[in-house]
Amino acid sequence: MNPKTKKKLLGHLQYCWWMYIGIALAAVFLWTSVFLNLAKPASNERIGLFLCTNAVDTTGLEKDISDILEGLTEQEIKQFRVNQMLLSEADVGSVLTARSFDCDLIFIQQSFLREGMAVYHFAPLPMEQIGELLPNHQFYSDKLENVQNTYGILIGGKGVHNRFTQYYTGEEAVYVFLSRESVNLGGLNEKGYPEDDAALRLLLYLLEETNG
C-alpha cells in the first residue's frame, strides 16, 4: 500500500470508526435475536399465566404447577411461567395491550376492571362449551354499545375455595380471562387445535373446589 493510499485509509477510519462499530453491534444484535427466537419453545409448547392482582404466592404456584402439569395433559409443554405485575388501576389497560398476547390465562382483580375493558382485550367466552365444563360458576360480563357478553370466570375472592385460592390470600374477587392469542385452550379459541388443551386443563384444575 503506497503512503498516499494509507494516509487516506487512516483518515477515513479516523472519522468513520463509529459507523463500523455500529455495523458490528447491529450484526451481533441480529444474530442474538435470531438465536433466541430459534431457541424459544413454540406457542403450543409453553404455558403462561399473567397476574394483575396482589396477594398471590407466585413462587409456590409456579413450582407446584410445574410439578403436576405433565399429568394434566398429553400435550408436550417445555416451558411454564407465572408473571405478576403489581399495578395501579390506570396501568392495567396499557399493560394488557402489551402482555395478553404472550400468555394463555390472565387474572385480574375486580377493582382493576372497567366497563369496556374486557370487550377490548378479550374474546367472549364460548358459553355453550364453558357452561358444560363449569355449570356452577360465576362469570364476569362486559358490554359495548348495549351488547353484553361473558368474558371472565370468578376464580378467587371471599367465599371462594378452589386450588387457586390455596395461593391467593386476598378477599377481593379475582377473575380469569382467556388470551385471544392462546393456542393451548383445546379449541375454545379460534386459534390452536383441540388436542392442544394444556391451558384449558390447567384452568379447570385451578377451578376445582376444595374444602377451604
Side-chain angles (χ1 to χ4, degrees):
M1 182 183 297
N2 62 60
K4 190 174 181 179
T5 303
K6 183 176 181 181
K7 185 176 180 181
K8 285 184 178 181
L9 179 60
L10 291 175
H12 175 75
L13 292 176
Q14 181 179 358
Y15 292 103
C16 299
W17 60 268
W18 55 269
M19 181 176 66
Y20 293 101
I21 291 179
I23 292 172
L25 290 175
V28 171
F29 176 78
L30 179 62
W31 182 88
T32 303
S33 299
V34 170
F35 176 79
L36 290 176
N37 284 330
L38 290 175
K40 187 177 182 180
S43 297
N44 67 339
E45 295 177 334
R46 62 182 191 268
I47 300 294
L49 309 184
F50 185 62
L51 308 178
C52 297
T53 180
N54 305 321
V56 178
D57 175 13
T58 55
T59 301
L61 177 62
E62 186 170 279
K63 179 183 181 303
D64 292 349
I65 297 302
S66 296
D67 290 342
I68 59 92
L69 188 56
E70 185 177 347
L72 293 180
T73 177
E74 295 182 1
Q75 185 179 347
E76 182 183 3
I77 300 300
K78 297 181 179 179
Q79 181 186 86
F80 172 70
R81 69 194 188 283
V82 177
N83 292 318
Q84 181 184 35
M85 188 169 289
L86 303 181
L87 306 164
S88 68
E89 296 177 16
D91 294 331
V92 174
S94 58
V95 169
L96 287 177
T97 300
R99 296 301 301 271
S100 61
F101 301 118
D102 64 354
C103 57
D104 299 278
L105 304 173
I106 301 98
F107 299 71
I108 307 177
Q109 64 189 56
Q110 188 169 23
S111 61
F112 287 168
L113 293 166
R114 295 290 179 269
E115 185 173 314
M117 182 182 290
V119 175
Y120 182 78
H121 292 289
F122 308 112
L125 293 174
M127 290 308 296
E128 183 175 345
Q129 296 162 278
I130 290 290
E132 293 179 1
L133 295 169
L134 305 168
N136 300 311
H137 281 75
Q138 298 180 44
F139 299 95
Y140 178 84
S141 297
D142 199 4
K143 65 180 180 179
L144 181 67
E145 298 179 351
N146 297 319
V147 177
Q148 184 160 312
N149 283 298
T150 304
Y151 293 89
I153 306 163
L154 180 68
I155 196 168
K158 188 175 182 179
V160 179
H161 303 291
N162 56 34
R163 294 188 185 276
F164 176 74
T165 58
Q166 294 176 348
Y167 307 95
Y168 174 64
T169 58
E171 293 192 348
E172 184 177 349
V174 174
Y175 292 88
V176 59
F177 300 84
L178 312 182
S179 170
R180 282 177 174 170
E181 299 301 313
S182 175
V183 298
N184 302 305
L185 290 165
L188 291 186
N189 271 4
E190 294 180 358
K191 300 187 176 185
Y193 299 98
E195 61 268 24
D196 290 336
D197 63 353
L200 173 60
R201 295 298 171 190
L202 176 56
L203 173 62
L204 297 176
Y205 174 82
L206 292 173
L207 286 166
E208 285 182 9
E209 293 185 0
T210 62
N211 294 326

